[in-house]
Amino acid sequence: MVKLRLKRCGRKQAVYRIVAIDVRSRREGRDLRKVGFYDPINNQTYLNIPAILYFLEKGAQPTGTVYDILKKAGVCFYGILS
């Protein structure tokens, strides 16, 4: 099963990539694809919407935090998530 989750990149400041990753992988493990970027300090978000929708249509489940980020960005989940 694939999940959309945050992967920490920043060493001193918390900066995260939003990645599609296998559930069995650890947080810093090898990802399938990078689909976004999130900086909570500067409140910046970059999302690759077509890639995110592709993984959601294939059955990927976002974590709670990623779900909130996508919801705030206005990504349409109708018919994809139950």
Side-chain angles (χ1 to χ4, degrees):
M1 183 175 164
V2 177
K3 278 204 172 214
L4 296 177
R5 77 166 63 145
L6 295 176
K7 183 175 183 180
R8 186 173 173 141
C9 295
R11 188 171 189 177
K12 292 184 180 179
Q13 295 181 356
V15 177
Y16 300 94
R17 282 193 182 128
I18 301 171
V19 296
I21 194 167
D22 189 23
V23 173
R24 296 167 291 188
S25 297
R26 56 195 176 101
R27 182 186 71 178
E28 305 303 327
R30 183 175 173 148
D31 50 77
L32 301 173
R33 185 166 178 193
K34 297 172 185 72
V35 295
F37 175 83
Y38 175 61
D39 182 1
I41 296 170
N42 298 325
N43 202 18
Q44 294 178 339
T45 306
Y46 165 76
L47 300 172
N48 184 349
I49 303 296
I52 291 171
L53 291 177
Y54 170 79
F55 281 107
L56 290 174
E57 288 171 357
K58 296 296 180 185
Q61 294 294 315
T63 61
T65 307
V66 173
Y67 180 81
D68 292 341
I69 292 168
L70 296 177
K71 191 172 163 185
K72 188 184 288 186
V75 176
C76 181
F77 293 111
Y78 303 116
I80 297 173
L81 295 177
S82 35

